[in-house]
Amino acid sequence: DVKVTQSSRYLVKRTGEKVFLECVQDMDHENMFWYRQDPGLGLRLIYFSYDVKMKEKGDIPEGYSVSREKKERFSLILESASTNQTSMYLCASSSGQGAPYEQYFGPGTRLTVT
Amino acid sequence: AQTVTQSQPEMSVQEAETVTLSCTYDTSESDYYLFWYKQPPSRQMILVIRQEAYKQQNATENRFSVNFQKAAKSFSLKISDSQLGDAAMYFCAYKGTSGTYKYIFGTGTRLKVLA
């Protein structure tokens, strides 16, 4: 079974803090993704990575950065957390070998910025 | 740009009954994949069913089936014999095959199952 794990289920941070969210997958997947999930807005892509050290911006990258130093690990960084970044963050991975393109998701991190 | 629309924010179904969740999408691509994902309360999102656009036959997985109408760009999910464990958020998603890594998700439908 593919396993995608995220470092924390719940996180509370103060405005201005630097926040690290980590994601690890154990299926040797090339592609990894960070999404933000908000009620009524669905999943919005923040960043994705298709290989080690490779990254591309998604639809809402402002205020975020990412790091992928190893294939299995993809980190999301909030450089200076703000209250509007309070949200559920989902990590996902998928094989880069083509179809069927299924994404596997982590359990999510619910981040609250106060 | 591709879009995915789920027009039903919330649906309810009686246990053992059948319910259909709607999804429409917009694309200019001819080859793509469509997915339904389920996110139970406080649990991990999992794949329910997938459909390849080039396949005319509707995908089926046990009690879950889709009605894929390519010309109408519609991809609805039918859940038969609904169970309490089906209560969840359901997301429709699209992925093109022409060199993009991106998946496009709908806004989700919350399904309540009534005992």
Side-chain angles (χ1 to χ4, degrees):
Chain A
D1 269 0
V2 175
K3 201 169 227 182
V4 180
T5 56
Q6 294 183 229
S7 50
S8 305
R9 288 300 301 272
Y10 300 93
L11 211 50
V12 180
K13 295 292 182 181
R14 292 197 181 275
T15 302
E17 277 193 84
K18 191 168 186 175
V19 181
F20 293 86
L21 303 183
E22 293 211 319
C23 175
V24 178
Q25 51 94 4
D26 67 359
M27 276 300 290
D28 202 35
H29 282 168
E30 290 79 6
N31 303 327
M32 295 188 75
F33 305 80
W34 275 106
Y35 293 95
R36 174 176 168 158
Q37 181 181 2
D38 298 290
L41 297 178
L43 275 68
R44 293 180 293 167
L45 181 64
I46 304 172
Y47 268 97
F48 65 97
S49 170
Y50 51 91
D51 201 351
V52 175
K53 297 190 187 293
M54 306 302 288
K55 60 188 179 187
E56 283 198 24
K57 293 179 180 179
D59 299 316
I60 52 164
E62 296 78 21
Y64 304 94
S65 62
V66 291
S67 172
R68 192 164 180 205
E69 296 296 319
K70 292 186 177 181
K71 191 175 186 180
E72 67 271 17
R73 190 178 299 267
F74 191 34
S75 301
L76 179 69
I77 304 153
L78 286 67
E79 297 291 342
S80 177
S82 64
T83 55
N84 62 14
Q85 292 178 310
T86 291
S87 187
M88 170 70 87
Y89 290 88
L90 297 179
C91 175
S93 73
S94 70
S95 172
Q97 304 305 314
Y101 300 112
E102 177 182 347
Q103 283 191 311
Y104 296 84
F105 285 86
T109 295
R110 187 166 293 283
L111 173 67
T112 302
V113 182
T114 62
Chain B
Q2 295 86 3
T3 58
V4 174
T5 302
Q6 292 180 250
S7 57
Q8 306 153 317
E10 194 169 290
M11 295 276 287
S12 295
V13 63
Q14 207 70 34
E15 202 176 1
E17 297 291 305
T18 295
V19 65
T20 299
L21 309 184
S22 301
C23 174
T24 58
Y25 59 94
D26 192 24
T27 184
S28 57
E29 295 181 292
S30 58
D31 194 19
Y32 48 86
Y33 285 73
L34 296 164
F35 306 86
W36 278 100
Y37 283 91
K38 170 185 177 182
Q39 186 182 41
S42 301
R43 292 181 59 187
Q44 216 138 335
M45 182 135 33
I46 57 172
L47 179 71
V48 175
I49 200 164
R50 78 169 67 83
Q51 175 79 42
E52 295 92 336
Y54 64 86
K55 288 189 177 178
Q56 292 187 339
Q57 188 171 5
N58 289 325
T60 301
E61 289 286 342
N62 301 313
R63 297 182 296 106
F64 298 87
S65 62
V66 298
N67 182 4
F68 172 51
Q69 298 188 6
K70 192 173 183 180
K73 296 179 182 171
S74 170
F75 181 60
S76 59
L77 175 69
K78 185 171 89 170
I79 307 174
S80 304
D81 185 26
S82 297
Q83 301 175 358
L84 295 177
D86 295 332
M89 280 290 289
Y90 287 82
F91 291 96
C92 178
Y94 167 101
K95 186 185 180 316
T97 57
S98 55
T100 177
Y101 299 95
K102 283 180 63 173
Y103 296 71
I104 312 297
F105 284 82
T107 51
T109 296
R110 181 171 302 282
L111 178 66
K112 295 183 177 181
V113 181
L114 308 172

